[in-house]
Amino acid sequence: MLLYLRCFIPFVALLLATDVAVAAHPAQTEHCPPLEANDPQQRASLMDHVCYLSATPGEPAHSASNPAELSADSLWKAANGHDLVFSHTNAVYWVRLNVRNSGATRQLWYLKLNYPLLDEVTFWQAGEDVTEAIATGDQYPFMSRGIDYRYFLLPVTLGGNENTTITIRIQSSGALNVPLSLETPAATIAQSNHLTLVHGLFYGALLVFSAFNLLLFFSSGTAYYFYNAFYMASLGLFLFAMGGFANQYFWPDSTGFANTSIPMLMSISSLAMTLFGRSFLEVHPHSRADRVLKGLALVSLALLAFAFMLPYNKSIVLSTTVALMIIASLFVIGLVRWRQGYLPAKWYVMAWSGMLAGALIYSLAAFGYLADFLAREIFMQVAVGAQVILLNYAMVQRWRLLNQKLLDVEQNARTNLELKVHERTAQLRNTMRELERANRQLATLSLNDALTGLHNRRHLDNLLPELCAESRRSGLPLTIALLDADHFKAVNDDWGHDFGDQCLQHMADILRRHVKRPRDVAIRFGGEEFAILLPGTGSDGACRLCEQILEDLAGSRITTGSGESVILTMSAGVATLATGEDERELFRRADDALYRAKAAGRNRAEQSEPEPS
């Protein structure tokens, strides 16, 4: 990039510093062939009838203020059909044209000078008497032109068979373009209407796009929308001033500011295009391209201040050079960003390539290196219009790219969220299963005896009321048997509690062996106290079951740790639910029967009969 700029700057400086006229090596002549105003072909080839005189400082023609002061031996040169275009010069240029009306009637034509940026332009028409027609230019109020038109118009009225000599004195601190044409009023109006339509569409489109991007900035807060609006507005205002419209409408009475406004607005446009390009291309901070653009932005700000301090011919050269450097730099940076894979840079490069060509040609025409300034102005407007369309299309593509990135981020976030939800759901399910298993274990622990594995007193308290209610509904019997180990305290005292626990486990095993039906329940509800719930079983069946249990227990031996054999016995009390009886009364009667069995000698089962009502 730096090498590119080192090569570009001397080229532009050399190009702008060279003083060349398009009418190269014209032949010397003292006679300008008269132009027949009624002949359209001669009007179309007006420059074949024009002679000009160049007077550098110090020459008599340079200080002459009217044609009468020109020397008779002045070396007039023929234009030979070329437009008169000159780069920056201190010379004064005199232009002469002889016009004849060979018709019989009085007619009106307009001599047009289609270049608005001239400091001093003075027209004379010489018939029988020399008369100063118009003294105007940017150093005069706009209305000094006599006709409210951005270009210079000189009415040429000739009677039948009348001749006139038109002399123009031109001096300007900038480049000199003297594109002349002689037109009928109808052709002048038609061309003016056509250009008004073209300019209206162009500047109106720039205004609409600027306002639209400004609204996008206010609604989204995205900086490059503001920079784009700033760029289009400043560029449009610069071209407005270059076309003479700003002097016509904005500051018609500010003599001299027409010149100052050109480098000023060019510097503002350079700053705007730098800020917009840096923002749109997403130039990486602290990169070489970022440093170059920041430097060019600072230079643009400096030139904005210099526009009010430096002479016009110097500030316009500097401003144009920097503007072309910025356009070229942004074009190169756009190419680099495109190669780096930044897709919107493709459209940016296409937009900027046309802008680069248009700006270069327009600059050459404005500085006097190309003829037909009006055609170059239209070409520049076409280039800017194409650039604006491509830039806004590039912004749409950039928005689509950002939107796609957002959609991808959203999709990835949704996918990740779904994965995390599935993961969390699986973890939650595992946790719920573990919790359910823990709850079952807790329920088992809360309803089962830890030593024997039988159900505990809590289960008895929960289940007995339900079984009683079921028995009352169904009419089926419900019997409860309470069993208690005989002399169990002596077992603990003689052989210890560990052996006592073994004995309790042994008794529980015997109960499980005999309590086989699915709905029968064996319970340890005290130290050596057990209960059996027998739904659907009467007292007789319960007594037989208890006797089998007692017989099995008494017939088995348990060996202590010292090798002694111990025989255990139990006593049992049986009660069957009676009509109108609740679970408390049923339990009390079974407990009474157990005490009777104990009192009757133990190792036996007693049955409780319902008390008479």
Side-chain angles (χ1 to χ4, degrees), residues 27 393 399 425 444 477 499 518:
Y393 182 76
W399 177 85
T425 302
T444 300
F499 181 70

Side-chain angles (χ1 to χ4, degrees), residues 215-444:
L215 290 175
L216 289 177
F217 166 70
F218 287 132
S219 62
S220 67
T222 305
Y224 64 79
Y225 287 128
F226 172 78
Y227 292 137
N228 192 26
F230 179 33
Y231 166 62
M232 288 188 290
S234 60
L235 181 61
L237 190 57
F238 166 70
L239 294 176
F240 203 68
M242 284 291 294
F245 293 107
N247 192 30
Q248 180 181 4
Y249 295 110
F250 291 165
W251 40 79
D253 298 323
S254 300
T255 59
F257 187 70
N259 278 346
T260 304
S261 65
I262 301 301
M264 178 194 73
L265 292 173
M266 184 180 293
S267 299
I268 294 175
S269 299
S270 299
L271 176 63
M273 70 176 73
T274 303
L275 296 175
F276 171 69
R278 180 173 176 268
S279 174
F280 180 84
L281 292 174
E282 295 184 359
V283 176
H284 299 296
H286 311 300
S287 64
R288 180 180 300 178
D290 183 57
R291 291 194 296 271
V292 169
L293 292 180
K294 284 182 178 179
L296 291 174
L298 293 176
V299 171
S300 299
L301 287 174
L303 291 178
L304 178 60
F306 289 155
F308 297 91
M309 296 183 289
L310 294 177
Y312 171 77
N313 58 348
K314 293 183 179 179
S315 63
I316 189 62
V317 170
L318 291 175
S319 299
T320 303
T321 303
V322 171
L324 291 174
M325 287 170 54
I326 290 174
I327 294 173
S329 300
L330 289 171
F331 177 77
V332 174
I333 293 172
L335 285 174
V336 173
R337 293 291 288 134
W338 186 5
R339 290 188 60 184
Q340 290 174 348
Y342 184 63
L343 296 180
K346 169 185 175 182
W347 299 102
Y348 185 89
V349 168
M350 294 175 60
W352 226 246
S353 60
M355 180 62 178
L356 180 60
L360 185 59
I361 292 175
Y362 187 65
S363 299
L364 292 175
F367 280 98
Y369 296 101
L370 291 177
D372 199 354
F373 176 78
L374 180 59
R376 313 306 175 188
E377 181 185 42
I378 298 298
F379 179 79
M380 181 63 179
Q381 290 180 351
V382 171
V384 171
Q387 183 202 34
V388 168
I389 292 173
L390 288 173
L391 282 179
N392 282 273
Y393 182 76
M395 293 175 66
V396 171
Q397 295 300 314
R398 187 179 190 273
W399 177 85
R400 289 180 59 186
L401 180 63
L402 292 176
N403 190 51
Q404 186 60 47
K405 288 183 178 178
L406 289 176
L407 291 176
D408 292 341
V409 170
E410 182 181 357
Q411 182 63 34
N412 291 334
R414 184 183 296 112
T415 302
N416 292 334
L417 181 60
E418 290 177 354
L419 291 176
K420 289 182 179 179
V421 168
H422 288 312
E423 182 180 348
R424 294 293 185 270
T425 302
Q427 293 176 353
L428 182 60
R429 287 173 179 170
N430 292 335
T431 302
M432 292 298 293
R433 283 195 293 266
E434 292 175 0
L435 181 60
E436 184 179 357
R437 185 165 55 251
N439 286 335
R440 287 197 300 268
Q441 292 176 352
L442 181 60
T444 300

